[in-house]
Every structure is written in structure tokens, then in C-alpha cells.
Amino acid sequence: MATLDRPTVCGFRGDHQVNAADPTPAGPCDGAARNDQLEIRQLLEQVDDLARRLGKSRDQVLDPARVSYATGIPHRRVEELLAGACPLTPPVPREDLKRYNNSLFVQRLALLHQTRVDENGQRYSQRAIARGTGISIPQIGHLLEGERSPNNDHATRIERFFGVAEGFCSRPEGAALIAALRPLVAEELPQLITRELLEELGVHAVALRRSGSAPRAGSSGLSSILPALEELAQRQRRARGESPS
């Protein structure tokens, strides 16, 4: 996937407006930002462990461009957060919070407009967005330019039109990144490991062959199954005279 263009507005940190082109915010994390940073770190440790069990690196299983597409966080900022940057959190003063929310909405809407295409592979025109959301064309233009403050109804209509999760246009970057990493750790990578182990063990269930993916046992089920499958695979390798990985 190609590198995504970065919208020019990101949010506010205290009374300082943060532009998406700014470098990683300096200073230690505290409060909610610290909690988000710790959870992101823990999730990335799990990603590293699961990637290792696949014989891969983090870079091979976690694509920042894909994360950006799924979360609305600019590509470069995703890379900074994955490298340990302190997540930006909503400011406390009401005036700053309103500007932060408006700025965040503009950033996410801009990314949706840049990266989503119609059935012909073309970016949606303002007319198409207006027709699909029921918001007037002038209002869509004002929202894209950040000239009008969005309300909850605007955000809901736009999220539904573009087929993204509720809260896409308003979720702070820490929470958005955490929400993107959790399924990777709980479902996607464990399922991939399960599939590879089953194939190595010669298990080719009808459902596995038809779907092309491992059975969906749920995160807790896969967590209990994987150690046993890995042990069986190691025994099979030893029986073939191979060095267990």
C-alpha cells in the first residue's frame, strides 16, 4: 500500500496547536497518555512474540500504512506512535477541547476523502458525499476545509457513508491505535499461526480448505490451542530430524 498523504491538522496539546507535520511531542507521558502508551507497548510486545512464532519480524506483520487507513491517524504519526511517541490526548479546558475535536474531525475526514474510492476507483466527489450523507454540498465543502464545526450527526452520517467504525472521526490517536492492535493480537495473528501449524501437521479439514483460513476459535480458545499445536509440530520436526524452531 502506498504511503498516505498527511492532513495538515492534528489536534491540540494543552494550549499549543499541534500540526500533523510537527515532530513527536517532547516530554514524558502522564495521565491518560501514559496509560495509552503502556497499553500500546504491551500490545506491541505481543505482536513481536506472535511474529516470532511465525518466523517473521514486526515490520512483516504490522504495516503502518494499513494502520493509518484503519484508524485515520496520519502514516508518519502511526510510525512515531509505534516507535514509542507519547499519544496526544484531549485537553481539559472546554475551549481547547472544542478546537481539538474540530481539528481531529478535519484530519480524519481529510484522510477518508484521500484514501476511499468508489466502485470506479475514483475519489468521492463532494456531490457524491452529500448525496450519500444527506448533508448539503456547501456544508460538505465547509467541513472538508475546517470552516464549520461538525456535530455528532455529521460525524455519524460521514462514518456510515465511508463504512468505518463509529467514532472513527472522534477517537483520540491512542485509543484508535489500541483498537487497531487488539484484533491483530487476539485474532489475526493467532489464526495465521494456527493455520500454518495445522498445515504443517497435515491437518486439512474441509472447512480449512474451503475458507482458506484457520477455524475461528476466539482469542481465548486459540490461546489454549496454540501451545499444544506448537508442541506437536516440534515433535514432528524432531521425528524428521529437523531442528525444532
Side-chain angles (χ1 to χ4, degrees):
M1 183 180 298
T3 300
L4 305 180
D5 293 334
R6 307 184 71 221
T8 58
V9 187
C10 183
F12 291 83
R13 184 172 178 83
D15 59 358
H16 169 60
Q17 183 172 353
V18 177
N19 187 288
D22 285 348
T24 304
C29 287
D30 53 20
R34 177 62 174 168
N35 293 335
D36 286 347
Q37 186 187 52
L38 288 174
E39 184 165 359
I40 291 169
R41 184 180 302 165
Q42 291 168 355
L43 287 166
L44 290 176
E45 288 173 354
Q46 295 178 63
V47 169
D48 290 340
D49 177 63
L50 292 166
R52 177 187 56 77
R53 291 155 76 174
L54 281 165
K56 300 180 183 293
S57 66
R58 179 193 297 180
D59 291 342
Q60 292 175 297
V61 300
L62 182 59
D63 180 6
R66 180 185 172 195
V67 175
S68 175
Y69 185 89
T71 62
I73 305 171
H75 186 182
R76 178 184 163 196
R77 182 61 182 158
V78 170
E79 294 178 330
E80 292 173 349
L81 291 169
L82 294 177
C86 185
L88 295 173
T89 55
V92 174
R94 178 172 295 183
E95 290 185 1
D96 284 349
L97 180 59
K98 182 177 180 180
R99 288 186 296 161
Y100 168 91
N101 288 335
N102 291 347
S103 185
L104 184 61
F105 177 88
V106 172
Q107 178 207 88
R108 301 287 167 83
L109 177 57
L111 191 140
L112 286 173
H113 192 224
Q114 292 168 5
T115 60
R116 269 56 173 185
V117 296
D118 61 19
E119 63 274 10
N120 297 316
Q122 302 296 315
R123 284 168 53 175
Y124 290 97
S125 66
Q126 292 187 22
R127 181 180 298 277
I129 298 172
R131 184 169 58 248
T133 61
I135 304 171
S136 70
I137 295 176
Q139 184 78 325
I140 290 294
H142 291 316
L143 291 172
L144 282 166
E145 295 298 326
E147 297 171 350
R148 294 282 177 85
S149 296
N151 57 38
N152 290 337
D153 184 57
H154 290 147
T156 298
R157 289 169 181 250
I158 286 170
E159 287 165 354
R160 287 176 179 171
F161 174 79
F162 284 106
V164 294
E166 182 180 356
F168 181 95
C169 292
S170 59
R171 187 176 288 159
E173 62 182 19
L177 180 56
I178 288 168
L181 291 175
R182 283 174 177 167
L184 182 68
V185 166
E187 298 179 11
E188 296 176 29
L189 292 178
Q191 287 172 14
L192 185 57
I193 295 171
T194 300
R195 173 182 170 79
E196 291 198 359
L197 288 170
L198 289 174
E199 290 183 345
E200 181 178 352
L201 292 168
V203 178
H204 296 283
V206 173
L208 184 63
R209 291 200 304 269
R210 287 181 177 175
S211 67
S213 62
R216 297 178 65 86
S219 59
S220 59
L222 287 176
S223 295
S224 62
I225 292 171
L226 281 177
L229 291 177
E230 288 176 324
E231 176 61 25
L232 287 173
Q234 289 182 3
R235 291 181 182 179
Q236 191 174 86
R237 292 171 198 144
R238 285 193 291 268
R240 294 195 301 264
E242 299 175 4
S243 174
S245 58

